Amino acid sequence: MRSIRIEEKVAVYPGTFDPITLGHVSVVRRGLSVFDRIIVAVAKDTHKENFFSFEERYSMLKEVFAGESRVEVMKFEGLLVDFVRSIGAKIILRGLRTVSDFEYEFQMALTNRKLDSSIETVFIMAEEHVSYFSSSLVREIAKLGGDITQLVPEPVVRWFEKKIGRLKVSK
Ligand code: COA
C-alpha cells in the first residue's frame, strides 16, 4: 500500500446563523470526525432579512464555539466561493436535515461549483432529534415568549433575552 499523505483537512461551514441552532451544532460536531478543522463562516450577504445583526451573529457564534480548539468562527461578505478561496480552503460543508433541504442545497452546490469548480461541497446529516426545526421557528417561538432551551445552545438563549427580554426558561 502507498503511504498516506497527511494534509490538514479544513471545511468551511457557511450560514446565516440567525441564530445558530442545535441542528447546526450537530453538523459541526459530526463534521469534526471527518475534518481536522472547521471554519464556521457567518454571511453578511444573504437573501434574508435578519433578526440579529451581522456583528451579533458573529459574536454569538464565537461564544458558542469558545471551547472548541478545532472550530474557528469567521465573517465573510460577498460570494462564498471567493471567501473559501481567499483562505485557501477547498471544501464547503453543509448540513442536510430532510428531503426538502435537498433541492435548495443541490442548487446552491452546483451554482458554487459553476463559480469555482475546484471547490467541493460536502453534506453531513444533522442528527434526527435536531432535524425538524430551523432558525426561523426558533425566532418565532422566542418572540412569542416560548421556551427555546431545547433548540439552541445556551449562549443563544441569553442573546434572545438581551434582545427581547421575555423568554420562558425551563428549570
Ligand atoms: N439544523 C437546523 N437548522 C438548519 C440546519 C441544521 N443543521 N441547517 C440549515 N438549517 C436551517 C437554518 O436554520 C435556516 O432556517 P431559516 O430559513 O428558517 O432561517 C435554513 O435552514 C438555512 O439556513 P442556513 O444554514 O443559515 O443557510 P443559509 O441558507 O441561510 O445560508 C448562505 C446561505 C449564507 C450559505 C448563502 O446565502 C451564501 O453563500 N451567501 C453568500 C453569497 C453567495 O455566495 N451567494 C451565492 C450562493 S450559490
Side-chain angles (χ1 to χ4, degrees), residues 5-170:
R5 266 198 310 150
I6 311 282
E7 273 173 20
E8 195 185 32
K9 285 191 268 99
V10 180
V12 175
Y13 182 45
T16 309
F17 303 116
D18 186 34
I20 182 166
T21 70
L22 290 179
H24 295 118
V25 173
S26 161
V27 172
V28 173
R29 295 228 186 287
R30 299 202 73 83
L32 285 173
S33 64
V34 179
F35 302 105
D36 301 308
R37 209 146 56 86
I38 293 181
I39 295 172
V40 178
V42 57
K44 182 171 187 188
D45 303 309
T46 63
H47 48 276
K48 299 175 184 174
E49 211 172 285
N50 294 310
F51 178 67
F52 288 105
S53 70
F54 185 38
E55 284 304 324
E56 286 172 333
R57 288 179 283 129
Y58 172 70
S59 305
M60 197 185 298
L61 286 166
K62 294 278 277 185
E63 266 184 54
V64 169
F65 293 111
E68 239 9 292
S69 59
R70 291 198 290 135
V71 179
E72 192 178 338
V73 178
M74 291 181 83
K75 307 181 216 179
F76 77 100
E77 293 182 41
L79 284 177
L80 173 62
V81 288
D82 289 342
F83 170 72
V84 172
R85 200 184 311 114
S86 74
I87 59 169
K90 289 267 172 226
I91 298 166
I92 296 170
L93 170 65
R94 292 287 291 173
L96 275 182
R97 292 164 301 165
T98 55
V99 179
S100 57
D101 277 346
F102 181 77
E103 212 169 316
Y104 170 62
E105 294 298 338
F106 183 75
Q107 191 183 24
M108 208 155 60
L110 289 187
T111 308
N112 281 328
R113 181 183 285 169
K114 197 78 179 162
L115 294 170
D116 188 330
S117 63
S118 69
I119 295 171
E120 206 57 67
T121 303
V122 170
F123 296 97
I124 283 186
M125 278 186 274
E127 287 151 297
E128 51 286 3
H129 65 285
V130 288
S131 280
Y132 59 92
F133 54 87
S134 65
S135 301
S136 47
L137 268 183
V138 168
R139 290 195 301 275
E140 185 179 330
I141 295 167
K143 284 180 195 170
L144 296 172
D147 181 4
I148 55 165
T149 52
Q150 308 292 312
L151 309 178
V152 296
E154 205 265 319
V156 176
V157 178
R158 280 185 274 108
W159 276 89
F160 270 110
E161 280 171 341
K162 261 192 273 170
K163 192 118 178 163
I164 52 181
R166 59 185 185 103
L167 283 181
K168 279 185 206 133
V169 178
S170 60

